[in-house]
Amino acid sequence: MNELEVRELRYFIAVAEELNFSRAAGRLGMAQPPLSKAIAQMESRLGVRLLERTTRQVRLTNAGQVLLDQARIAVDAVHAAARRARRAGQPTPPLVVAVKPAGDAGLLREILAAYRGTGSHLPPPEVVVGGSGEPIAMLRDGRADVALLRSPFDGQGLDCQTLVVEPRLAVLPAGHRLAGRRRLRLSDLKGEPIPRWQGAAPRDTAYYTGYDGAEAGDGHAGSASADNTHEGPIVAGVEQLLEVVALGQAVAFLARSTTERHQRPDIVYRPVIGLSPSEVMVAWPETSRSAAVAAFVQAAHDVAAHHPDHMTGLAAY
């Protein structure tokens, strides 16, 4: 038998993330010897080495990296199943909708109204507004049933439907050398400091800095890279991003609907030729069979169909 228990996966995740048995044991609230024994037993049962250990360091093998990726998914799925079961057992469980500020392209209120209009047999919607990265985390761990998300994000284990694809604009201090221009090229911003979003993966950072391989039409396709920008301040939200731009510490890129919500005299917004757009998507767990989720997805599609930046084509639920 080589099946692994959830408890063992939690042990392995802690060690793989800390790459230190002492720290991992402290994080788990247990002694180091039983933790080391548990990992050794996992390797024995699987017949592969998961970790390379020396007196100086611990590092993942290729097999260990694969197990780490899959273990995170498995543990999240178990936790999500438990949370969803508890919520389903409530007398009148709501449909929990996760979204982050300015993450809905102005669609949310209309979607909620359309969902409510589909019939009283559906559970009432409950909107939870979270920070950057929280809506998708809530969707994965069972705290939310459906979410409105902006690309990019890891869609593994999710079904998604694109609702709108809107342009992003450059965000500049009002006194910036390019503030008087009506339109910019991505190459005009070469060397400018651009904020980094807290906890962003490399692929996400390429998107937020504008160099995600989407420069087609700029006349410089393929020539731009993240090396053309300087790292700006770390930010965790739109308000913080706007403030560092207004102070002249960086320039940035934001979706058009977001810029419309944040008009201020010390900042200007300008179109950028060749800058990749922002996609707003409705997402739900691929294992979901909820009639309420299906109704919300349909409502989202119906509302987005009247948006000027609507992306046609409804995914089957």
Side-chain angles (χ1 to χ4, degrees):
M1 297 267 310
N2 59 3
E3 289 81 0
L4 300 175
E5 299 178 3
V6 174
R7 171 182 56 84
E8 293 176 307
L9 294 178
R10 288 180 55 246
Y11 289 175
F12 177 73
I13 290 171
V15 174
E17 290 181 345
E18 298 291 344
L19 293 178
N20 182 289
F21 277 85
S22 295
R23 288 198 301 268
R27 169 173 153 181
L28 294 165
M30 64 187 297
Q32 181 177 335
L35 177 59
S36 298
K37 182 178 179 181
I39 299 299
Q41 289 174 339
M42 290 175 64
E43 291 178 320
S44 177
R45 293 214 311 279
L46 292 173
V48 294
R49 177 75 75 178
L50 301 173
L51 299 163
E52 293 290 350
R53 309 165 181 81
T54 69
T55 56
R56 290 189 171 186
Q57 66 177 355
V58 175
R59 68 177 185 85
L60 287 169
T61 64
N62 290 337
Q65 183 61 58
V66 170
L67 182 60
L68 174 60
D69 295 339
Q70 296 300 311
R72 285 169 170 158
I73 295 171
V75 171
D76 285 347
V78 170
H79 291 164
R83 287 191 178 97
R84 292 191 179 106
R86 292 191 197 101
R87 288 178 47 221
Q90 298 173 7
T92 54
L95 176 77
V96 179
V97 182
V99 65
K100 73 175 186 177
D104 65 329
L107 299 174
L108 181 58
R109 288 179 178 82
E110 291 185 59
I111 294 172
L112 293 174
Y115 169 80
R116 292 188 182 102
T118 57
S120 59
H121 64 287
L122 294 173
E126 177 184 309
V127 178
V128 179
V129 181
S132 180
E134 285 187 85
I136 194 167
M138 293 180 65
L139 202 58
R140 292 193 187 284
D141 67 20
R143 288 176 291 161
D145 301 298
V146 64
L148 294 179
L149 305 171
R150 280 195 184 273
S151 61
F153 60 87
D154 180 4
Q156 186 171 14
L158 303 177
D159 281 331
C160 306
Q161 168 63 41
T162 300
L163 300 176
V164 300
V165 180
E166 59 177 339
R168 290 191 291 160
L169 306 180
V171 188
L172 307 173
H176 193 276
R177 60 185 175 84
L178 299 173
R181 299 265 294 273
R182 294 183 60 186
R183 186 178 300 272
L184 305 174
R185 292 182 176 273
L186 204 54
S187 57
D188 294 332
L189 299 170
K190 180 179 179 179
E192 294 280 354
I194 296 181
R196 263 52 177 178
W197 285 83
Q198 189 172 28
R203 179 193 64 176
D204 300 340
T205 296
Y207 171 82
Y208 292 129
T209 56
Y211 295 104
D212 52 351
E215 299 87 358
D218 187 19
H220 302 277
S223 65
S225 74
D227 292 337
N228 288 332
T229 68
H230 297 303
E231 290 192 7
I234 300 294
V235 298
V238 172
E239 292 291 350
Q240 186 180 7
L241 179 146
L242 293 174
E243 199 60 35
V244 300
V245 171
L247 291 171
Q249 297 175 2
V251 302
F253 305 110
L254 287 176
R256 182 173 60 194
S257 62
T258 304
T259 67
E260 291 169 352
R261 296 185 183 187
H262 296 275
Q263 296 292 322
R264 43 190 289 179
D266 50 0
I267 281 176
V268 298
Y269 302 113
R270 295 291 181 263
V272 182
I273 297 171
L275 182 65
S276 63
S278 173
E279 296 185 33
V280 177
M281 311 180 81
V282 58
W284 63 96
E286 63 183 8
T287 56
S288 175
R289 299 296 179 267
S290 165
V293 170
F296 186 91
V297 172
Q298 184 64 54
H301 176 265
D302 292 345
V303 168
H306 301 288
H307 193 283
D309 295 317
H310 174 55
M311 183 72 174
T312 58
L314 178 62
Y317 176 82

